[in-house]
Amino acid sequence: MEQRQRGIPDSEKITINLGHVDLGHIDLLVKDGFYANRTDFIRTAIRNLADRHAEAARHSIARRGLDLGLRHVTRAELEAAVAAGRMIEIRVLGLASIAADVTPDLARAAIAAVTVLGALQASAAVKDALADRIR
């Protein structure tokens, strides 16, 4: 697994719906200085719940054979797989990225399956080429 790559963001924007009372509670805690902003509160809450379930998550990650964190797939890696007559499976909890210079044909020839719990970054053409293999 590679370290954080230049130009790859370390977060993904999501949208959630909250009830007015829940949102009011968050705003009250922000206003009273417990959290810097709504995002800080939500990140803290998610991390606390993830920590609470960390042992179960570790077992699930191991059972599913997932890479944890960032998995960057390069053109050279895919070309090597094709040359060796094998296909790779990408299984990630975190961020999976497929290099910008990977063509749709190379992706289809080298990638058997993509399972990402988190985010997948790849060109639209590569995502389209792998649509039937993304789980």
Side-chain angles (χ1 to χ4, degrees), residues 15-111:
T15 302
I16 62 170
N17 296 316
L18 293 174
H20 300 290
V21 173
D22 291 335
L23 187 57
H25 279 115
I26 293 169
D27 287 345
L28 178 66
L29 292 170
V30 169
K31 189 175 197 104
D32 285 350
F34 289 96
Y35 300 94
N37 50 47
R38 290 174 172 175
T39 298
D40 183 37
F41 173 89
I42 293 167
R43 281 186 183 144
T44 301
I46 290 168
R47 286 181 185 131
N48 288 342
L49 285 171
D51 285 348
R52 184 182 303 169
H53 301 287
E55 186 63 26
R58 273 192 293 279
H59 289 295
S60 185
I61 289 166
R63 184 178 71 250
R64 296 169 189 255
L66 298 169
D67 291 329
L68 180 62
L70 170 64
R71 171 73 164 87
H72 183 66
V73 180
T74 65
R75 180 183 185 108
E77 177 184 358
L78 297 180
E79 288 171 341
V82 170
R86 63 178 175 80
M87 297 180 82
I88 67 167
E89 290 193 23
I90 300 168
R91 290 189 298 265
V92 178
L93 186 149
L95 172 65
S97 69
I98 300 174
D101 62 349
V102 171
T103 65
D105 288 339
L106 177 57
R108 283 205 57 85
I111 301 172

Side-chain angles (χ1 to χ4, degrees), residues 120-135:
L120 170 63
Q121 292 181 342
S123 71
V126 167
K127 284 183 179 179
D128 286 347
L130 297 174
D132 63 330
R133 300 173 188 188
I134 297 173
R135 300 179 184 117

